[in-house]
Amino acid sequence: MAAPLPPALIATDLDGTLLRGDDTLSERSLDALARVAAAGARHLVVTGRPAPRVRALLAALGTGGLAVCGQGAQLYDAGADRLLWSVTLDRELAETALGKIEAEVGEVYAAADQDGIDGLTLIEPGYLMPHPTLPSVRVERRGDLWRAPISKVLLRHPVLSDDELASAARSVVGSLATVTMSGPGTVELQPCGITKATGLAMAAARLGLGRESAVAFGDMPNDIPMFQWAAHGVAMANAHPELKAVADEVTTSNEDDGVAAVLERLFPATARRARQ
């Protein structure tokens, strides 16, 4: 009996998953992704980061194709350096949602990712970027966050944990926005109905690939929709308990090259996959 073919599509989150804590890619991970390419499979980055914040990383990966960015709100063509598709969060709805959240939990600090290939990340007074390596522009007041179309809003609370803030936000936001938690200190509001799964499904369709041949890797609750879409979901050892609960397997941590460990198993060095 012939051995099963390796998957045709590999979808990886970045922060806490493919990347190490210092935002670097290990040689082992790069070698494992080279195996994926050599076997004729496709690798898609599926990240909460907006498109302008992934250019350098995609270049390091040698990726000139598609990437799903902004929690699924953007489909980015790295080779052409342009957005093929994007959806914005209505700024009035975002402001209304923030008001409801603050009525529930008290003052929060907010930031916003602007839409577009050159969109900025704007942060209001009091907001601390969870990733200090990512560039941001501080504004004087919250109203300045809405001066141009946005893809999402990021929230932090001075006292509540991420889980507590996300739960409270979901309880009051309703259909105004989708609430996600994508990393330590990162609770987000994005357009209603938009998730990593919607973006991944769109990218896969453009590549002529389906969910039955997809393996997804992640570490946070925002990756749950992606796991539900893919045939197989792999959580990192450092993953949030909510994601581990729905994962098909758990690998080692991002610091220990957990993605590479699984890819080495799925794509043995001698494996090659024929493509029509």
Coordinates of all heavy atoms in Angstrom, one line a residue, residues 139-197:
V139 N -0.5 59.0 18.6 CA -1.4 60.1 18.3 C -1.8 60.8 19.6 O -1.6 60.3 20.7 CB -2.7 59.7 17.5 CG1 -2.3 59.1 16.2 CG2 -3.5 58.7 18.3
E140 N -2.3 62.0 19.5 CA -2.6 62.8 20.7 C -3.9 62.4 21.4 O -4.1 62.5 22.6 CB -2.6 64.3 20.4 CG -1.3 64.8 19.9 CD -1.3 66.3 19.7 OE1 -2.4 66.9 19.8 OE2 -0.3 66.9 19.3
R141 N -4.9 61.9 20.6 CA -6.2 61.6 21.2 C -6.8 60.5 20.4 O -6.5 60.2 19.3 CB -7.1 62.8 21.2 CG -7.3 63.5 19.9 CD -8.0 64.8 19.9 NE -8.2 65.4 18.6 CZ -9.2 65.1 17.8 NH1 -10.2 64.3 18.2 NH2 -9.3 65.6 16.6
R142 N -7.8 59.9 21.0 CA -8.5 58.7 20.4 C -9.1 59.0 19.0 O -9.0 58.2 18.1 CB -9.5 58.1 21.3 CG -10.3 56.9 20.7 CD -11.1 56.1 21.7 NE -10.3 55.5 22.7 CZ -10.8 54.8 23.7 NH1 -12.1 54.8 23.9 NH2 -9.9 54.3 24.6
G143 N -9.6 60.2 18.9 CA -10.3 60.6 17.6 C -9.3 60.5 16.5 O -9.7 60.3 15.3
D144 N -8.0 60.6 16.7 CA -7.0 60.6 15.6 C -6.9 59.2 15.1 O -6.3 59.0 14.0 CB -5.7 61.1 16.1 CG -5.7 62.6 16.5 OD1 -6.5 63.3 15.9 OD2 -4.9 63.0 17.4
L145 N -7.3 58.2 15.8 CA -7.2 56.8 15.3 C -8.1 56.6 14.1 O -7.9 55.7 13.3 CB -7.6 55.8 16.4 CG -6.8 55.8 17.7 CD1 -7.4 54.8 18.7 CD2 -5.4 55.4 17.4
W146 N -9.1 57.4 14.0 CA -10.1 57.2 12.9 C -9.9 58.1 11.7 O -10.8 58.3 10.9 CB -11.5 57.4 13.5 CG -11.8 57.0 14.9 CD1 -12.3 57.7 15.9 CD2 -11.5 55.7 15.4 NE1 -12.4 57.0 17.0 CE2 -11.9 55.7 16.8 CE3 -11.0 54.5 14.9 CZ2 -11.8 54.6 17.7 CZ3 -10.9 53.4 15.8 CH2 -11.3 53.5 17.1
R147 N -8.7 58.7 11.6 CA -8.6 59.7 10.5 C -8.4 59.1 9.1 O -8.5 59.8 8.1 CB -7.3 60.6 10.8 CG -6.0 59.8 10.8 CD -4.9 60.7 11.4 NE -3.6 60.2 11.4 CZ -2.6 60.6 12.1 NH1 -2.7 61.6 12.9 NH2 -1.4 60.0 12.0
A148 N -8.3 57.8 9.0 CA -8.2 57.1 7.7 C -8.9 55.7 7.9 O -9.0 55.2 9.1 CB -6.8 57.0 7.2
P149 N -9.3 55.0 6.9 CA -9.9 53.7 7.0 C -9.0 52.7 7.8 O -7.7 52.8 7.6 CB -10.1 53.3 5.5 CG -10.2 54.5 4.8 CD -9.3 55.5 5.5
I150 N -9.6 51.9 8.6 CA -8.8 51.0 9.4 C -9.2 49.5 9.1 O -10.4 49.2 8.7 CB -9.0 51.3 10.9 CG1 -10.5 51.1 11.3 CG2 -8.5 52.7 11.2 CD1 -10.7 51.3 12.8
S151 N -8.3 48.6 9.4 CA -8.7 47.2 9.3 C -9.0 46.5 10.6 O -9.8 45.6 10.7 CB -7.5 46.4 8.7 OG -6.3 46.5 9.5
K152 N -8.5 47.1 11.7 CA -8.9 46.6 13.1 C -8.4 47.5 14.1 O -7.7 48.5 13.9 CB -8.2 45.2 13.3 CG -6.7 45.2 13.3 CD -6.1 43.8 13.6 CE -4.6 43.9 13.6 NZ -4.0 42.6 13.9
V153 N -9.0 47.3 15.4 CA -8.6 48.0 16.6 C -8.0 47.0 17.6 O -8.5 45.9 17.7 CB -9.9 48.7 17.2 CG1 -9.5 49.3 18.5 CG2 -10.4 49.7 16.2
L154 N -7.0 47.5 18.2 CA -6.3 46.7 19.3 C -6.6 47.3 20.6 O -6.5 48.5 20.8 CB -4.8 46.6 19.0 CG -4.3 46.0 17.7 CD1 -4.2 47.2 16.6 CD2 -3.0 45.4 17.8
L155 N -6.8 46.5 21.6 CA -7.2 47.0 23.0 C -6.3 46.4 24.0 O -5.9 45.2 24.0 CB -8.6 46.5 23.3 CG -9.7 46.9 22.3 CD1 -11.1 46.3 22.7 CD2 -9.8 48.4 22.2
R156 N -6.1 47.2 25.1 CA -5.4 46.7 26.3 C -6.1 47.3 27.5 O -6.7 48.4 27.4 CB -3.9 47.1 26.3 CG -3.2 46.6 25.1 CD -1.6 46.7 25.3 NE -1.2 45.7 26.2 CZ 0.1 45.3 26.3 NH1 1.0 46.0 25.6 NH2 0.5 44.4 27.2
H157 N -6.1 46.6 28.6 CA -6.8 47.1 29.8 C -5.7 47.2 30.9 O -4.8 46.3 31.0 CB -7.9 46.1 30.2 CG -8.8 46.7 31.3 ND1 -8.4 46.7 32.6 CD2 -10.0 47.3 31.2 CE1 -9.4 47.2 33.3 NE2 -10.4 47.7 32.5
P158 N -5.7 48.2 31.7 CA -4.7 48.4 32.7 C -4.7 47.3 33.8 O -3.7 47.1 34.5 CB -5.0 49.7 33.3 CG -6.4 50.0 33.0 CD -6.7 49.3 31.7
V159 N -5.8 46.6 34.0 CA -5.9 45.6 35.1 C -6.4 44.2 34.6 O -5.8 43.2 35.0 CB -6.9 46.1 36.2 CG1 -7.1 45.1 37.3 CG2 -6.4 47.4 36.8
L160 N -7.4 44.2 33.8 CA -7.9 42.9 33.4 C -6.9 42.1 32.5 O -6.1 42.6 31.8 CB -9.2 43.1 32.5 CG -10.4 43.7 33.2 CD1 -11.6 43.8 32.3 CD2 -10.8 42.9 34.5
S161 N -7.0 40.8 32.6 CA -6.2 39.9 31.8 C -6.8 39.9 30.4 O -7.9 40.4 30.1 CB -6.2 38.5 32.3 OG -7.5 37.9 32.2
D162 N -6.0 39.4 29.4 CA -6.5 39.3 28.1 C -7.8 38.5 28.0 O -8.8 38.9 27.3 CB -5.5 38.7 27.1 CG -4.2 39.5 27.1 OD1 -4.3 40.7 27.2 OD2 -3.1 38.9 26.9
D163 N -7.9 37.4 28.7 CA -9.1 36.5 28.7 C -10.3 37.3 29.2 O -11.4 37.2 28.7 CB -8.8 35.3 29.5 CG -7.9 34.3 28.8 OD1 -8.2 33.8 27.7 OD2 -6.7 34.1 29.3
E164 N -10.1 38.0 30.3 CA -11.2 38.8 30.9 C -11.6 39.9 30.0 O -12.8 40.1 29.9 CB -10.7 39.3 32.3 CG -10.5 38.3 33.3 CD -9.8 38.8 34.6 OE1 -9.1 39.8 34.5 OE2 -10.0 38.2 35.7
L165 N -10.7 40.6 29.4 CA -11.1 41.7 28.5 C -11.8 41.1 27.2 O -12.8 41.7 26.8 CB -9.8 42.5 28.1 CG -10.0 43.6 27.1 CD1 -11.1 44.6 27.6 CD2 -8.7 44.3 26.7
A166 N -11.3 40.1 26.7 CA -11.9 39.5 25.5 C -13.3 39.0 25.8 O -14.3 39.2 25.0 CB -11.1 38.3 24.9
S167 N -13.5 38.4 26.9 CA -14.8 37.9 27.3 C -15.8 39.0 27.5 O -16.9 39.0 27.1 CB -14.7 37.0 28.6 OG -16.0 36.6 29.1
A168 N -15.4 40.1 28.2 CA -16.2 41.2 28.5 C -16.6 41.9 27.1 O -17.7 42.3 26.9 CB -15.5 42.2 29.4
A169 N -15.6 42.0 26.2 CA -15.8 42.7 25.0 C -16.9 41.9 24.1 O -17.8 42.5 23.6 CB -14.5 42.8 24.2
R170 N -16.7 40.6 24.1 CA -17.7 39.7 23.4 C -19.1 39.9 23.9 O -20.1 39.8 23.2 CB -17.3 38.3 23.4 CG -16.0 38.0 22.6 CD -15.8 36.5 22.5 NE -14.5 36.2 21.8 CZ -13.4 35.8 22.5 NH1 -13.4 35.7 23.8 NH2 -12.3 35.6 21.8
S171 N -19.2 40.1 25.2 CA -20.5 40.1 25.8 C -21.3 41.4 25.5 O -22.5 41.4 25.6 CB -20.4 40.0 27.4 OG -19.8 41.2 27.9
V172 N -20.6 42.4 25.0 CA -21.3 43.7 24.8 C -21.2 44.2 23.3 O -22.0 45.0 22.9 CB -20.8 44.8 25.7 CG1 -21.1 44.5 27.2 CG2 -19.3 45.1 25.5
V173 N -20.3 43.6 22.6 CA -20.0 44.2 21.2 C -21.1 43.6 20.2 O -21.5 44.3 19.3 CB -18.6 43.8 20.8 CG1 -18.5 44.0 19.2 CG2 -17.6 44.7 21.5
G174 N -21.5 42.4 20.4 CA -22.5 41.8 19.5 C -22.0 41.8 18.1 O -20.9 41.4 17.8
S175 N -22.9 42.3 17.2 CA -22.6 42.2 15.7 C -21.8 43.5 15.2 O -21.6 43.6 14.0 CB -23.9 42.1 14.9 OG -24.7 43.2 15.1
L176 N -21.4 44.3 16.2 CA -20.6 45.5 15.8 C -19.2 45.1 15.2 O -18.7 45.8 14.3 CB -20.4 46.5 16.9 CG -21.7 47.1 17.5 CD1 -21.4 47.9 18.8 CD2 -22.3 48.0 16.4
A177 N -18.6 44.0 15.7 CA -17.3 43.6 15.3 C -17.1 42.2 15.8 O -17.8 41.7 16.6 CB -16.2 44.5 15.9
T178 N -16.0 41.6 15.3 CA -15.6 40.3 15.7 C -14.5 40.5 16.8 O -13.5 41.3 16.5 CB -15.0 39.4 14.6 OG1 -16.1 39.1 13.7 CG2 -14.4 38.1 15.1
V179 N -14.5 39.9 17.9 CA -13.5 40.1 19.0 C -12.6 38.9 18.9 O -13.0 37.7 18.9 CB -14.2 40.1 20.4 CG1 -13.1 40.3 21.5 CG2 -15.2 41.3 20.4
T180 N -11.3 39.1 18.9 CA -10.3 38.1 18.9 C -9.2 38.4 19.9 O -9.0 39.5 20.3 CB -9.6 37.9 17.5 OG1 -8.9 39.1 17.2 CG2 -10.6 37.6 16.4
M181 N -8.5 37.3 20.3 CA -7.3 37.4 21.1 C -6.2 36.8 20.4 O -6.2 35.6 20.1 CB -7.5 36.8 22.5 CG -6.3 36.9 23.4 SD -6.6 36.5 25.1 CE -7.6 35.0 25.0
S182 N -5.2 37.5 20.0 CA -4.1 37.0 19.1 C -2.7 36.9 19.7 O -1.8 36.5 19.1 CB -4.0 37.9 17.8 OG -3.7 39.2 18.2
G183 N -2.6 37.3 21.0 CA -1.3 37.2 21.6 C -1.3 37.9 23.0 O -2.3 38.6 23.3
P184 N -0.3 37.8 23.7 CA -0.2 38.5 25.0 C -0.4 40.0 24.8 O 0.3 40.6 24.0 CB 1.2 38.1 25.5 CG 1.5 36.9 24.9 CD 0.9 36.9 23.5
G185 N -1.4 40.5 25.5 CA -1.6 42.0 25.4 C -2.3 42.4 24.1 O -2.3 43.6 23.7
T186 N -2.9 41.4 23.4 CA -3.5 41.8 22.1 C -4.9 41.2 22.0 O -5.2 40.1 21.5 CB -2.6 41.2 21.0 OG1 -1.3 41.5 21.2 CG2 -3.1 41.8 19.7
V187 N -5.9 42.0 22.4 CA -7.3 41.8 22.2 C -7.7 42.7 21.0 O -7.3 43.9 21.0 CB -8.2 42.0 23.4 CG1 -9.7 41.9 23.1 CG2 -7.8 41.0 24.5
E188 N -8.4 42.2 20.0 CA -8.7 43.0 18.8 C -10.1 43.0 18.4 O -10.9 42.0 18.7 CB -7.8 42.4 17.7 CG -6.4 42.5 18.0 CD -5.5 41.9 16.8 OE1 -6.1 41.4 15.8 OE2 -4.3 41.9 16.9
L189 N -10.5 44.1 17.8 CA -11.8 44.2 17.1 C -11.6 44.2 15.6 O -10.8 45.1 15.1 CB -12.5 45.5 17.5 CG -12.8 45.7 19.0 CD1 -13.4 47.1 19.2 CD2 -13.6 44.6 19.6
Q190 N -12.2 43.4 14.9 CA -12.1 43.4 13.4 C -13.5 43.3 12.8 O -14.5 43.1 13.5 CB -11.2 42.2 13.0 CG -11.8 40.8 13.4 CD -10.8 39.7 13.4 OE1 -9.9 39.7 14.2 NE2 -10.9 38.8 12.4
P191 N -13.6 43.5 11.5 CA -14.9 43.5 10.8 C -15.7 42.3 11.2 O -15.2 41.1 11.2 CB -14.6 43.6 9.3 CG -13.2 44.2 9.3 CD -12.5 43.7 10.5
C192 N -17.0 42.4 11.4 CA -17.8 41.3 11.8 C -17.8 40.2 10.8 O -18.0 40.5 9.6 CB -19.3 41.8 12.0 SG -20.4 40.6 12.7
G193 N -17.6 39.0 11.2 CA -17.6 37.8 10.3 C -16.2 37.5 9.7 O -16.1 36.5 9.1
I194 N -15.3 38.4 9.9 CA -13.9 38.2 9.3 C -13.1 37.5 10.3 O -12.9 37.9 11.5 CB -13.3 39.5 8.9 CG1 -14.1 40.2 7.8 CG2 -11.8 39.3 8.4 CD1 -14.2 39.4 6.5
T195 N -12.5 36.4 9.9 CA -11.5 35.6 10.7 C -10.4 35.1 9.8 O -10.4 35.3 8.6 CB -12.2 34.4 11.3 OG1 -12.5 33.4 10.3 CG2 -13.5 34.7 12.1
K196 N -9.4 34.5 10.5 CA -8.3 33.9 9.7 C -8.9 32.8 8.7 O -8.3 32.6 7.7 CB -7.3 33.3 10.6 CG -6.4 34.3 11.3 CD -5.2 33.6 12.0 CE -4.2 34.6 12.5 NZ -3.0 33.9 13.1
A197 N -9.9 32.2 9.1 CA -10.5 31.1 8.3 C -11.1 31.7 7.0 O -10.9 31.1 5.9 CB -11.6 30.4 9.0

